[in-house]
Structures are given as C-alpha cells and as structure tokens.
C-alpha cells in the first residue's frame, strides 16, 4: 500500500526525476520538447527541490510505495497574503487512474484545514489536469499569461474552498 508522508531530503533525487518525467510527458505537446526541458531542468533540479524543502512557507508530500520508490509528489505554499497555492501535484504515469492523485490532493487539504481556500495554476492545454481539478471542486477564476517562464502560453487560475478544521 502506498503511504503519503511528508517529504524528506532523501526523497529529493527521486522527486526531481519524477518532476522531470511528468513535465516532459505533460507539457512537451503543449510547449514543445525544447522549452519544456529548459524550464523543467531549471525548476526541478535537485538543488532547487532541496531549497524548496527548507522553505518554511512550503509543505511537500510524497507517495511512497512499499518498495521505497516514490510514486507521487505534491507541494503547496503559503503566499504573502496567507493564501494556500498548490504549486505541484505529480504522479508516476503507472499510477494514473488509481486514485493516488486524489489521495495526495486530500493530504494537502488536510494539512491546510482552517485556511479558507486553495488556488492553483494550470497551463492551458493541460486538459487532464483541468478535468481532475474540476472533479475535485476547483473552479476557474481567472485566465492570464502563464507564470514560471512559460512565455506565450495562457494559464487558468483555479480555486476551491478548503474543508474547515
């Protein structure tokens, strides 16, 4: 049985690899392989992931299989206004359809109960993510230029209320 737990520094190499694979699989058809690789290599390098892990405003989770391999990763952060932003939710392709992504999302919800709502950004064209988040109660509240160095693409900002503590 896969266990969702707080990420540790030992998970950094596996998370970096998972992120790189997930980004390339998801965004190469949208942004092109070269742009996707450039962005992913910069944002998902092990040293960047390790630095994020040390940031008190960010909370990271992994889904660990019984064999110790990492099947999923989620990271949420508190912004300067006290709002929760789900910055990342990625699972291994072999876990598609298993419910693991929903379990990870609910772990993020539970960790932030008492906060009024949670927001996230989905790059336009990532229809799988849009459908997943809509299924879990998120609504599009804004369309704007994509962030994170993704020039020339639009994003949807989605938001949903969080359960009360």
């Amino acid at each position: 049985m896969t266990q969702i737990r707080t990420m540790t520094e030992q998970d950094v190499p596996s998370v970096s690899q998972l992120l790189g694979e997930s980004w390339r699989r998801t965004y190469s058809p949208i942004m092109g392989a070269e742009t996707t690789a450039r962005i992913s290599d910069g944002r998902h390098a092990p040293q960047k992931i390790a630095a994020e892990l040390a940031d008190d405003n960010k909370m990271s989770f992994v889904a660990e299989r019984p064999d110790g391999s990492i099947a999923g990763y989620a990271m949420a952060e508190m912004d300067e206004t006290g709002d929760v932003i789900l910055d990342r939710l990625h699972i291994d392709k072999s876990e598609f359809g298993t419910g693991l992504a929903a379990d990870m999302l609910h772990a993020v919800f539970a960790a932030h109960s008492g906060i009024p709502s949670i927001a996230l950004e989905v790059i336009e064209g990532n229809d799988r993510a849009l459908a997943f988040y809509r299924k879990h109660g998120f609504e599009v509240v804004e369309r704007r230029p994509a962030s994170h160095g993704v020039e020339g693409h639009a994003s949807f900002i989605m938001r949903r209320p969080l359960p009360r503590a």
Side-chain angles (χ1 to χ4, degrees), residues 118-136:
I118 185 167
L120 55 87
E121 178 179 3
V122 177
I123 295 173
E124 191 171 45
N126 188 352
D127 297 335
R128 182 180 186 91
L130 285 167
F132 172 79
Y133 291 121
R134 281 188 175 115
K135 178 180 175 182
H136 292 281

Side-chain angles (χ1 to χ4, degrees), residues 91-106:
I91 63 169
D92 186 82
K93 186 177 182 177
S94 68
E95 301 291 338
F96 285 5
T98 66
L100 179 61
D103 291 346
M104 295 203 69
L105 182 62
H106 287 280

Side-chain angles (χ1 to χ4, degrees), residues 114-165:
I115 304 292
S117 67
I118 185 167
L120 55 87
E121 178 179 3
V122 177
I123 295 173
E124 191 171 45
N126 188 352
D127 297 335
R128 182 180 186 91
L130 285 167
F132 172 79
Y133 291 121
R134 281 188 175 115
K135 178 180 175 182
H136 292 281
F138 286 83
E139 295 180 5
V140 173
V141 295
E142 181 183 356
R143 183 178 184 269
R144 68 179 188 200
S147 62
H148 307 302
V150 186
E151 295 88 18
H153 295 276
S155 282
F156 296 107
I157 304 303
M158 301 181 82
R159 180 176 296 281
R160 73 155 276 173
L162 280 174
R164 308 258 316 142

Side-chain angles (χ1 to χ4, degrees), residues 77-116:
E77 64 181 304
M78 298 288 288
D79 70 10
E80 61 281 347
T81 67
D83 202 10
V84 178
I85 309 296
L86 178 62
D87 191 50
R88 298 189 182 126
L89 177 58
H90 296 267
I91 63 169
D92 186 82
K93 186 177 182 177
S94 68
E95 301 291 338
F96 285 5
T98 66
L100 179 61
D103 291 346
M104 295 203 69
L105 182 62
H106 287 280
V108 171
F109 291 168
H112 294 90
S113 66
I115 304 292

Side-chain angles (χ1 to χ4, degrees), residues 3-46:
Q3 173 192 6
I4 297 173
R5 61 172 173 77
T6 302
M7 184 177 163
T8 67
E9 202 157 321
Q10 288 78 18
D11 300 317
V12 169
S14 296
V15 166
S16 176
Q17 181 177 344
L18 176 75
L19 278 169
E21 291 169 358
S22 179
W23 253 72
R24 283 165 174 80
R25 177 180 60 248
T26 302
Y27 295 113
S28 288
I30 298 168
M31 297 183 277
E34 186 177 312
T35 299
T36 302
R38 177 182 47 79
I39 293 169
S40 181
D41 290 350
R43 292 193 67 223
H44 306 140

